[in-house]
Amino acid sequence: MEEIDFAVKYPFTSQAKKLLEEVQLTDSIILKGIERIKASLESRRRQSIAIHKDEKLEEIASFAAARMALGYLRNRYITNKFAVAESKTVSSNLASETEDEFQLLSKELNIQSTNQGWLPIPLYLKNSPRSIDYKLINRNIKNGLVAVNRRELSRLMEEAVRKHIESTPMVKSIPDSMKNALEDLIKQIPRFEPQTTMSFKQGANPPCIEKLLDSLKKHENLNHQARWGLAVYLVNKGVTIENLISLYSNLPDFSEKITQYQLEHIKKKNYTMPSCATMLTYGLCCADCKIGNPLNWKNKRQV
Ligand code: SF4
């Protein structure tokens, strides 16, 4: 693959940065950058159709323009949506990548396995997703190294890209043409901003649940166990599916259709709330309430 094609697919790499040295920020690039952000807000999958060198350079530069705009906007919801969308595109590209290109990107992200399929524990911990499957207790560990297969390494790389984009530095000033384009985008934000119709009194729920609600309010991503545990808890508390969807719409990778299906499934199956011991194994317990099950929180407070 040519370097420029690699950079189009992975516009955050040093190869991309080098190519951008010969590019001036134009109105066309700014509009493409804004469009890139809009696509992520609308959960629309973007596919590059650039053929000529100039088009490819614009495509790479549109990523830089989008990050500049995000650094100026400082809106956590939009930044997180963008980070999730772009990192998922990287993950999808990686699935069909040759071994050479896969290794090239893992080197770029500084998560190259030292031996075939083994990664040093600190590197692994820095980039592993918050899922029970990736917890060290569930991993094959030897001599300070964790065994990872290509699919898992690809997931770690996706996570590294997401974190990199989420930590977009603050930008104090942007060109006027970008400000104008952003004004249009900002006008659309209310459509994308989730409306949480629920309010929870502080202390009304146990610390583990308060923490998950807090993460949702900050538009942070939650892993599968966290989403499931929170949903089972709230369904047991009588929260309606409609209100739950509204609450889960704070997630940067929110999909109304999938969320509705999963929540209705939880309600229909009448799942039992996981015990505190199970919440601990999920990595969701954050206190020692001695109540056996998060649902006993209210009971305990009434004693
Ligand atoms: S002890 Fe139970 S209720 Fe308390 S934070 Fe842990 S899981 Fe939640």
Side-chain angles (χ1 to χ4, degrees):
M1 188 192 297
E2 293 215 18
E3 192 176 58
I4 194 165
D5 294 316
F6 183 81
V8 167
K9 280 188 184 176
Y10 311 112
F12 45 83
T13 55
S14 57
Q15 289 88 337
K17 282 179 195 139
K18 200 168 138 226
L19 286 163
L20 286 182
E21 284 170 10
E22 54 181 283
V23 179
Q24 292 287 330
L25 189 62
T26 61
D27 288 352
S28 164
I29 292 172
I30 287 171
L31 288 177
K32 281 199 167 88
I34 302 294
E35 165 54 28
R36 213 166 170 135
I37 298 172
K38 268 190 197 169
S40 69
L41 289 171
E42 293 166 2
S43 303
R44 227 182 333 111
R45 184 78 195 280
R46 277 185 78 258
Q47 197 79 45
S48 168
I49 48 164
I51 298 170
H52 304 295
K53 186 182 174 191
D54 284 355
E55 293 168 333
K56 289 177 182 176
L57 286 174
E58 272 207 353
E59 177 69 13
I60 300 165
S62 70
F63 175 80
R67 283 198 83 202
M68 184 191 269
L70 293 173
Y72 183 76
L73 273 180
R74 308 302 293 164
N75 180 300
R76 189 194 282 265
Y77 176 72
I78 299 177
T79 302
N80 289 1
K81 287 282 278 185
F82 182 74
V84 167
E86 292 283 333
S87 61
K88 292 226 173 288
T89 302
V90 167
S91 176
S92 139
N93 286 337
L94 276 173
S96 56
E97 220 55 286
T98 63
E99 193 55 28
D100 281 354
E101 271 130 15
F102 190 92
Q103 290 302 331
L104 187 59
L105 189 66
S106 69
K107 195 173 165 197
E108 269 288 319
L109 295 169
N110 198 24
I111 42 178
Q112 218 175 3
S113 47
T114 47
N115 282 312
Q116 202 64 27
W118 293 88
L119 207 61
I121 289 178
L123 261 188
Y124 175 85
L125 288 176
K126 191 174 165 213
N127 299 292
S128 55
R130 288 187 296 168
S131 154
I132 192 160
D133 297 336
Y134 287 85
K135 291 219 166 289
L136 278 184
I137 46 163
N138 296 323
R139 308 300 309 186
N140 181 9
I141 300 174
K142 204 159 66 183
N143 301 328
L145 300 169
V146 187
V148 282
N149 58 32
R150 180 173 154 136
R151 182 184 55 77
E152 292 164 338
L153 193 54
S154 169
R155 181 68 185 88
L156 263 63
M157 287 155 76
E158 177 190 326
E159 198 65 7
V161 172
R162 184 183 66 77
K163 284 182 183 163
H164 169 70
I165 299 175
E166 276 184 1
S167 62
T168 296
M170 183 191 286
V171 175
K172 286 196 177 150
S173 108
I174 53 172
D176 285 344
S177 55
M178 183 177 273
K179 274 188 195 151
N180 296 338
L182 272 180
E183 271 172 27
D184 281 345
L185 179 72
I186 290 164
K187 275 184 210 148
Q188 296 186 48
I189 288 176
R191 281 207 285 129
F192 303 122
E193 281 285 15
Q195 301 296 314
T196 302
T197 54
M198 305 163 65
S199 67
F200 297 97
K201 280 191 199 139
Q202 195 141 26
N205 298 294
C208 51
I209 300 297
E210 297 264 350
K211 198 170 166 212
L212 293 175
L213 290 169
D214 202 44
S215 292
L216 270 183
K217 281 179 208 151
K218 291 183 193 157
H219 311 297
E220 289 171 359
N221 230 346
L222 298 181
N223 67 28
H224 173 71
Q225 282 86 12
R227 289 172 200 219
W228 185 77
L230 181 63
V232 175
Y233 177 89
L234 293 173
V235 164
N236 273 282
K237 285 282 179 186
V239 176
T240 64
I241 296 283
E242 193 191 6
N243 272 335
L244 277 171
I245 289 173
S246 171
L247 189 68
Y248 275 49
S249 70
N250 284 285
L251 290 164
D253 61 352
F254 171 71
S255 154
E256 184 167 352
K257 203 170 146 201
I258 296 172
T259 307
Q260 178 152 15
Y261 171 79
Q262 289 172 339
L263 292 174
E264 277 171 357
H265 181 73
I266 286 172
K267 194 156 187 180
K268 195 168 139 204
K269 292 276 174 185
N270 205 12
Y271 281 108
T272 314
M273 181 67 203
S275 67
C276 292
T278 306
M279 291 286 275
L280 186 66
T281 64
Y282 288 168
L284 301 175
C285 176
C286 56
D288 186 14
C289 311
K290 300 195 180 355
I291 52 175
N293 190 299
L295 279 177
N296 293 333
W297 176 258
K298 199 173 164 209
N299 296 342
K300 187 186 175 198
R301 292 297 167 252
Q302 284 172 344
V303 171

